[in-house]
Amino acid sequence: MLLNKLDDKLKDTKLTEVERPPKREMWAYGAGSFGIFAVWSFMGSFLTYYYTDVAGISATVVGTLMLIARLFDGITDIGMGSVVDRTKTKYGKARPWILWLSVPLGICTVLLFSVPDTSAGAQIFYAYVTYFLFVLIYTAVSISYKTLLGIMTQHQHSRSMANIYAAIFILSGNLLVVTLSQPLAAAIGWTSLAVIYGVVTVIFMYITFFAVKERAAVAAHQTEIKKVPLKDGLAALLKNKYWFIITAYCVTFYAAIGLTQGAAMYYAQYVIGNVNLFPVIGLASAVPMLLGVFFIGPFVKKYGKRNVAIVGAMVFIAGQLIKFIDPSSLIVFLTGHVLVGFGIMPSIALVFAMINDTIEYGELKSGLRTEGLVNSGASFGIKVGTGVGLALIGWLLGYGGYIGGAPDQSAAALQMILALNLHIPWL
């Protein structure tokens, strides 16, 4: 098990005597997740639908935009990781980026959901510009935030607990987003709703900035934080086999997440027959995720992060298979979706801690500590996986002849909606 191997190696190098952050600081770290991942969930669950059914942009165009932007996003992840590793300010190397870019991230969130009512070409241009700007700023904030988990402590169980606290905020934010966004958007409009999420993001990211301390890099080296050249950092990353494993896992896991979140609105509207039931579908997965995260700590301590995440993946697959019993039945779909929620929860709660657990292994192999590149490289896998999932939604809907906003869809379009929600996510 990766955690045990790292523990043994760390004992040999006398790195286990490290400062543990107090519980209030770990909760403050987790608070940032409420803002940044609420925006991520909002975008992942509703932006495709907003583009196709509200703005009226072609589904095929949207699918291509999602993939191209996420590939660009993934590439910028690597660059941002190097920037974080080379940053040296009075605030540290990760915290200053949270301070500087949280407000721009809130503004970009509003711009995403403010497509003007103009010509198709102008709308597509606007969507590309604002989406690329959003992913660029989001990358800078999210990489800095994830890197902060690796810097606030080297104590791996403290990292696990901080990640679990963060997961509580992530899943609470996800619960609010999937249950409140659709009815609120119907009442106040998508742009006004985006303003609310933008403000929330800034507030909670600033809580993290002011309350969390950077300490691990100094504890590891007992010297000033070194600026690691990009070439040397990438060479060190390529020697880290455990980083490759967790990055591949991120690609597949987040592709499935992108599909299950982004395609559910279409399923509620055209298969179940009532788009207003989307919050019920969201609750079916969000509540199990939120409840489960409160009980995951003892299982992680006893069985390890990897094993708990693997069991979660098996539960996810079982939930998807249940939906095949009667795809048009809301009760059957919700039953399977509850299991999907339980299955997703362990990975959401543990993935960033597992990513940061590879930092010390990479340091032992290369002699360089590159928290930023480790997190940005794994984030590349997350962005590519999510991009593939969202791109498939647009492409397959376009292939099936989907017409955004139409009261009825063709048989081919309905088949594509079924495939996106049932067949593809568990493959």
Side-chain angles (χ1 to χ4, degrees), residues 389-419:
L390 294 178
L392 283 173
I393 295 173
W395 289 340
L396 292 181
L397 288 177
Y399 179 76
Y402 178 84
I403 301 174
D408 298 298
Q409 300 292 339
S410 67
L414 292 175
Q415 193 60 42
M416 291 300 103
I417 292 173
L418 285 172

Side-chain angles (χ1 to χ4, degrees), residues 31-232:
S33 293
F34 187 87
I36 194 169
F37 287 101
V39 166
W40 181 262
S41 181
F42 179 50
M43 183 274 300
S45 297
F46 298 103
L47 186 59
T48 301
Y49 181 84
Y50 171 78
Y51 278 156
T52 59
D53 285 52
V54 179
I57 301 174
S58 162
T60 303
V61 170
V62 172
T64 302
L65 166 61
M66 293 295 176
L67 184 61
I68 293 175
R70 291 306 171 83
L71 289 174
F72 167 77
D73 195 7
I75 293 171
T76 59
D77 279 351
I78 303 296
M80 188 61 202
S82 178
V83 169
V84 171
D85 283 331
R86 293 168 61 84
T87 298
K88 184 178 178 182
T89 73
K90 65 180 181 179
Y91 300 120
K93 65 180 187 178
R95 291 173 63 240
W97 295 102
I98 295 173
L99 173 66
W100 299 332
L101 295 179
S102 292
V103 171
L105 177 61
I107 294 171
C108 288
T109 302
V110 177
L111 293 177
L112 274 186
F113 288 86
S114 304
V115 176
D117 184 12
T118 182
S119 67
Q123 286 184 321
I124 294 171
F125 177 78
Y126 178 90
Y128 265 86
V129 171
T130 54
Y131 195 42
F132 271 70
L133 182 62
F134 172 84
V135 298
L136 185 63
I137 302 298
Y138 186 90
T139 290
V141 176
S142 64
I143 291 298
S144 302
Y145 177 75
K146 296 167 191 173
T147 301
L148 187 56
L149 180 61
I151 302 174
M152 65 186 291
T153 181
Q154 282 183 278
H155 189 265
Q156 292 177 5
H157 186 65
S158 294
R159 280 182 189 161
S160 297
M161 294 310 299
N163 200 174
I164 290 172
Y165 296 156
I168 292 173
F169 282 102
I170 291 171
L171 298 176
S172 298
N174 181 64
L175 176 63
L176 292 175
V177 168
V178 298
T179 56
L180 298 180
S181 293
Q182 190 271 330
L184 280 176
I188 65 176
W190 289 99
T191 302
S192 297
L193 182 59
V195 171
I196 294 173
Y197 285 129
V199 172
V200 168
T201 296
V202 174
I203 292 172
F204 280 86
M205 291 307 296
Y206 277 3
I207 290 173
T208 297
F209 168 78
F210 285 110
V212 177
K213 175 183 176 182
E214 294 188 14
R215 56 172 66 80
V218 175
H221 299 292
Q222 300 299 319
T223 59
E224 291 289 329
I225 298 172
K226 297 178 181 179
K227 294 184 177 181
V228 180
L230 177 59
K231 181 181 68 173
D232 295 341

